[in-house]
Amino acid sequence: MSEISHRKARSIIAKTLAKGREMNLKPLSVVVLDAGGHVKAFEREDGAAPGRFDIARGKAFGAVMLGMGGQAQMARAEQQAYFMAAVNGVYDGKVVPVPGGILVLDKKDAVIGAVGVTGDSSDNDQLAGMAGIEAAGLTGQP
């Protein structure tokens, strides 16, 4: 099984933050988790609220634990709120089912981790995160 390296995680973060600056977004916070939901790397830009770590982690955690990106989680929550409520019960409220939580896939389409981005609108968070993942030579599934 492939694994997301610390070097690759740092690259994703750097490229995500660069995309956020290019898009003139509010200060971002970005976390990269491995396939087991453990933090590989995190960075919070100057000016980002201190609570953003938990939001970024919740976006990424939901993606990796459920095997679906935040965009798909949000659609599921809108269709079956009881399901996402149950999931959040199972995971002690750690899932944030909105865009900005992105599965990271290797060249064989195996899940190797997830990225969580927060700080601007969820849609903009997702755009910046996808750009960071793609610039690092990986595939993202929002």
Side-chain angles (χ1 to χ4, degrees):
M1 179 165 113
S2 191
E3 180 179 320
I4 194 162
S5 69
H6 181 256
R7 191 176 120 247
K8 193 64 83 166
R10 301 290 305 156
S11 175
I12 291 168
I13 289 172
K15 292 174 187 319
T16 298
L17 295 177
K19 183 64 173 180
R21 287 188 298 275
E22 175 189 311
M23 294 172 62
N24 201 30
L25 302 184
K26 294 176 185 171
L28 298 179
S29 296
V30 185
V31 68
V32 179
L33 306 182
D34 66 16
H38 305 284
V39 176
K40 291 294 283 193
F42 170 75
E43 198 164 320
R44 180 173 60 92
E45 287 187 303
D46 292 343
R52 291 292 178 172
F53 169 77
D54 292 321
I55 297 169
R57 184 179 166 276
K59 288 181 175 188
F61 188 78
V64 79
M65 289 297 125
L66 296 174
M68 65 176 87
Q71 188 173 318
Q73 289 176 60
M74 188 170 77
R76 183 82 183 261
E78 289 169 347
Q79 295 168 0
Q80 299 175 315
Y82 62 88
F83 173 77
M84 289 311 295
V87 164
N88 252 322
V90 168
Y91 292 118
D92 299 320
K94 295 178 184 170
V95 175
V96 179
V98 297
I102 307 163
L103 282 175
V104 180
L105 311 173
D106 66 10
K107 292 181 189 330
K108 296 180 183 177
D109 287 333
V111 174
I112 59 171
V115 171
V117 183
T118 184
D120 204 271
S121 71
S122 292
D123 290 337
N124 284 339
D125 294 343
Q126 178 177 295
L127 288 171
M130 285 295 293
I133 292 165
E134 291 168 1
L138 297 167
T139 301
Q141 186 179 80

